[in-house]
Amino acid sequence: MCALWVLGFFLDSISQASFIAPRNKTFAKPVLQVFSGIQCNICEIGDKALSNITKEHKPCIPNIINYHAGPFAVPANLNQRDLRTTCGEFIRSQYSINSYPGAILNGNSGRIINANQFESSYFNIVEYYTPVNLGIKTLFDSVSRKIQIEVELYPMPGFSDSSAILDLHLISNGIKGFQKMLDGSDNYQYIHNNVFIDAITPCQGEWVRSLKVKTSRRLQYTYDLASELNPLNIECIAILKGSDGTYFTSETQKIIDSQTKLGLTLSNDQDSTWLLKPGDIQKIDFTAINSSGKRSDFLFSFKKEIPEFWNAEFLIDGESKSDSIAVSLESSEEKSIRIIIQTNGFAGFGELSFESVQMVPSNVCGTDPIRKKIICQPVECNTLVVYNTAKQTNGQECKVNLWKPITDALDCFLCKDYVVLSDIEFEKLYLNEYEKVPRVIYYQLGWGNPPVRPANYTIMRRFMDLGTGVFIAGQDIGYQMASNLPGSSSNQASKYFHSSYLSARFLNNGDSTINYAFANSNDPEFGHIGTSDILPIYRDSISLNLYPDVINSTSANAKTLFSYTENKIGGYYFERLPHKVIYSGVGMEMFGNKNFVKELITKAHIWFNGCDKIISNAKQHVIENQVCRFYPNPFKDVLHFEFKSNDKFEIKIWTADLKLILHQIKVDNLNRISTSNLPTGIYYYTIIDKENQIYASGGLMKM
């Protein structure tokens, strides 16, 4: 017998397009390396144990190699078939095997001396996920007797090494030969199984280097099968180990045109990142294929963590589905999957994922769902509006819209380009290697505990050091600085941020007399924002002393933003390069005078950005897409929309909080809507085509 092992280029007869190794997290398949001999009369016990594992525990069975090596494998005469090999002897010496029959489970992880322990030891092992998925595909040419073997390695997330060791062996079943039996008799008709016949890779294994996570590595080998061996009985077994010899996983396949069964595979299994802008509609199409080799049932799931103002849809074969559905597929049957996201005029951050798990009996080896993940990021982030999602200090969910007071004011700017993020989305966005640095962050704390997530402090500090301006507002924020006060949840991160970045000095937690705010009329930047009452909007919590903070600054450059009664300072601002800060001891949601908030945010935005392009003073613009043009924008009493196509379309117009105010089927190409009864603000449109799909969407402004 002779072997040829070749790395690198593929043969034309082996497909490069299809997957061979699984793409989902998979439990490592154990390998049982057994050492026995023909003169070992108790090896019969070991063979029976292996046979029982194979018969009784399908389909979740270990991969088995039976090495005939050592003194008990030496034939006593020429009539006793010699099953020894050079590599078998080498591997035995590596493990220092001296007792028969013996076994090694999962490489160096455990030695089994007693044959009665084979089965129990296998089923007592702790299952773990393999760091590198492994798959085999084989083709056999009966004329040339060449075996073509393709091996695929697919490192999973968390794989910390960059190399692995691959052992590729051939084993044979049904070899008739001599065996000393348990009763001492000679049996020349004994059937030996799982017999190691040759190593395709070198005896010590082959190094596979420069592996990268979620990047396929394919290896190809050819082998000339000896004429005396029956190809129907030959199997190829692969063992994959770490660079330190730590066992990863194993796989066995017949040599005649077989392949690792994968369950479900996706035509596109790579994670995606979408860069979205307000009004965007994005979609992705891929195919799910049953590669298990038999009819199978799968559970398809669609999971989404998206802003409350976005819409997401999940379709199978063009039909919209709910979050999860059971699907039965024949072998090789396909299902087309489509995922659609619609931003409805707001940029933000979101995560979408398609998952599928094979619905199998409990005795089948476990596997995790196969997953395709999509990260949605904003194209630009010049202005971030971040709001706290933590539960209120009384343990209740916050029902107050914290971001709307900010965005209502920012909508007056042509240069607004803001992104609304929850504190959790803010954290995830910048943990996903998003590198765009905002000019301004408006952070609304509400009345949550904690007021700022610890990771958010770290992100804001980094941005402030890069010149990002921060407007931070919320009652009880200063309270967190005083760790000696009852109920405080202060920590070092918050105290450092307040003292070093906000230059804040806590005075007191306020009292019931603080219900009014007025600007410093002498201030050149904010002196004209006016006055406002402060509402007890968290009425269900008055027993917990929720009052606006009285604050002050340690910065010599700080100026008073607004005060409460008796000249108690409620907010200040300062510029001390590279930091530019506005700090309010009361959240914008608590001001009763909405114009006060609008003026405050307007002045702040101009101060941060130097942007004074107020939309009320701007020229009217035309909004155009491939189907329709809207004008004027901003609009007052009438909005025109003109279709450019004769196809059937529907148009829907929504308020900022996504209430439908118009649903109209196109009658002719030129249409007009009376809008005199609509309040000023932001509106959104969607255009639906004849296939009932969203064709386009965008934002509009009523003056």
Side-chain angles (χ1 to χ4, degrees), residues 310-416:
W310 284 8
N311 292 331
E313 191 174 12
F314 169 49
L315 299 96
I316 301 178
D317 286 346
E319 185 177 347
S320 183
K321 299 295 182 182
S322 60
D323 292 345
S324 61
I325 183 173
V327 177
S328 183
L329 298 176
E330 299 290 346
S331 177
S332 302
E333 186 179 355
E334 302 179 359
K335 288 288 183 181
S336 62
I337 310 296
R338 171 174 286 188
I339 296 175
I340 303 174
I341 192 77
Q342 181 181 358
T343 63
N344 292 319
F346 287 98
F349 171 80
E351 293 181 335
L352 310 170
S353 66
F354 168 80
E355 295 183 357
S356 175
V357 64
Q358 190 169 357
M359 301 166 66
V360 293
S362 59
N363 64 330
V364 176
C365 288
T367 182
D368 256 23
I370 188 166
R371 180 180 294 108
K372 179 176 177 60
K373 187 175 183 180
I374 302 167
I375 302 294
C376 303
Q377 298 177 343
V379 173
E380 296 294 342
C381 65
N382 288 331
T383 302
L384 296 183
V385 180
V386 184
Y387 61 97
N388 188 16
T389 58
K391 288 185 177 181
Q392 296 176 167
T393 311
N394 62 357
Q396 301 299 313
E397 298 286 347
C398 181
K399 299 178 181 179
V400 180
N401 189 323
L402 297 177
W403 52 270
K404 196 170 188 302
I406 309 295
T407 59
D408 281 350
L410 295 179
D411 284 335
C412 296
F413 288 87
L414 287 178
C415 59
K416 58 187 180 187

Side-chain angles (χ1 to χ4, degrees), residues 28 159 187 206 354 451 516:
F159 177 62
N187 184 351
E206 178 174 86
F354 168 80
Y516 192 75

Side-chain angles (χ1 to χ4, degrees), residues 272-288:
S272 303
T273 299
W274 289 346
L275 293 176
L276 303 176
K277 59 181 183 295
D280 264 5
I281 298 173
Q282 182 69 272
K283 64 182 178 181
I284 192 167
D285 294 291
F286 53 96
T287 302

